[in-house]
Amino acid sequence: MTATMPPSGKPGHARAQITAKTYRKDRWWVGPVLTTLGLAVFIVYATGRVFQQDHYFVEAHHYLTPFYSPCLALQCEPASAMFGTLPFEFPWFLPYALVSLPFLLLFRFTCYYYRKAYYRSIWQAPTACAVTEPHSSYTGESRWPMVLQNLHRYAFYIAVLISVVNTADAIIPLFHGTGGGFGIGVGNLVLIANVVLLWAYTASCHSCRHAFGGRLKSFGTKPVQYWMWTRISRLNTRHMQFAWITLASLMLTDLYVALVASGTITDLRIFN
């Protein structure tokens, strides 16, 4: 095996000079390619839907897609605007959920897992272990604009507030049955499943784990906090899975609301 340790300073102990990109024989490029494709699918779909500005709300059962929550533009359908609307119409290049989307994007973009994903697959720093990267230098996250990655801990708190809004978006439709009052349809199940997964992703965040125990030297006098920290730590081991699952659930939830809102399909009612 060729040594790759730094030279010891002794004669004949120079570091091996490897000119090949890699000597790996496995399909190391599959992971980065699939990651890039997965992120690209979500970005293209979400961008198209955010700026479509149509088919985002089902008034009959109060289904609102998470891509338009909270809806703030004057063009928003009145029943969809939980907090009211601003007194002017948005141009096409401004999303109706102008307040929430930038912070959700910041939360995802600075997420520790997503950093690993796009650093390796898109930025190729590095693409894979034992594979030569195309960059001649490494500065980490200590310089502009990468220093902005440190905003993740603050974006987490805003993401929690937005998750509360998403929870309300999933609960309110339960009281808009076909005949009025409580009712359940497939759309309700889709919205509830999505918000549960979003909470799992948010709660499994490294910043959430740090918020509950990162600054403590001992849990000895804080049993409740310790119990919560251990549960969050267990979720944290599944943070990567939740990161991908929620991308899929967001698209599927939005697609379902769009299809019902456009009249392409009819929401199947289970009760009322």
Side-chain angles (χ1 to χ4, degrees):
M1 180 180 292
T2 304
T4 57
M5 295 295 291
S8 63
K10 298 179 181 180
H13 286 268
R15 184 167 183 170
Q17 299 299 313
I18 300 175
T19 58
K21 183 175 181 179
T22 181
Y23 287 141
R24 290 179 60 170
K25 303 300 182 181
D26 61 317
R27 293 185 294 177
W28 56 266
W29 47 269
V30 172
V33 169
L34 292 178
T35 299
T36 301
L37 291 176
L39 293 175
V41 167
F42 178 79
I43 291 173
V44 171
Y45 177 87
T47 302
R49 281 292 292 144
V50 163
F51 294 107
Q52 182 181 351
Q53 300 180 344
D54 196 8
H55 306 320
Y56 58 89
F57 183 63
V58 180
E59 186 171 4
H61 303 297
H62 215 279
Y63 297 156
L64 176 64
T65 171
F67 288 157
Y68 284 75
S69 176
C71 205
L72 299 175
L74 187 61
Q75 303 102 302
C76 291
E77 297 186 35
S80 70
M82 182 189 307
F83 302 104
T85 62
L86 296 174
F88 57 88
E89 293 189 356
F90 284 12
W92 68 268
F93 55 84
L94 288 181
Y96 286 0
L98 181 64
V99 172
S100 61
L101 290 180
F103 290 107
L104 289 176
L105 179 62
L106 179 66
F107 181 56
R108 294 263 177 175
F109 188 81
T110 60
C111 166
Y112 293 122
Y113 167 70
Y114 283 119
R115 289 191 222 179
K116 180 185 110 173
Y118 64 76
Y119 282 178
R120 291 184 178 182
S121 61
I122 299 174
W123 187 241
Q124 297 184 38
T127 304
C129 294
V131 176
T132 303
E133 58 182 283
H135 310 287
S136 59
S137 61
Y138 175 78
T139 59
E141 297 173 342
S142 61
R143 296 183 182 180
W144 177 268
M146 305 312 294
V147 70
L148 294 177
Q149 300 283 28
N150 292 315
L151 292 175
H152 181 66
R153 69 190 72 177
Y154 307 109
F156 160 72
Y157 295 108
I158 300 176
V160 169
L161 295 177
I162 297 173
S163 294
V164 172
V165 174
N166 293 149
T167 302
D169 290 333
I171 294 176
I172 292 174
L174 291 172
F175 302 93
H176 288 76
T178 303
F182 185 81
I184 299 177
V186 173
N188 295 104
L189 300 181
V190 170
L191 290 170
I192 291 172
N194 178 63
V195 80
V196 169
L197 291 172
L198 289 178
W199 273 115
Y201 169 70
T202 304
S204 65
C205 171
H206 296 75
S207 292
C208 181
R209 185 171 180 267
H210 177 76
F212 278 88
R215 293 184 176 88
L216 295 180
K217 294 182 179 179
S218 173
F219 285 105
T221 59
K222 301 180 183 297
V224 175
Q225 191 170 349
Y226 176 72
W227 182 87
M228 297 180 70
W229 180 80
T230 54
R231 278 15 182 217
I232 293 171
S233 297
R234 290 180 183 178
L235 276 177
N236 182 253
T237 63
R238 299 287 185 266
H239 192 53
M240 179 184 74
Q241 288 90 332
F242 289 130
W244 283 108
I245 290 172
T246 50
L247 290 187
S249 71
L250 282 166
M251 289 190 292
L252 291 174
T253 302
D254 175 81
L255 179 61
Y256 184 85
V257 173
L259 291 175
V260 175
S262 64
T264 305
I265 63 174
T266 301
D267 182 50
L268 179 63
R269 303 303 297 173
I270 300 172
F271 173 77
N272 193 9

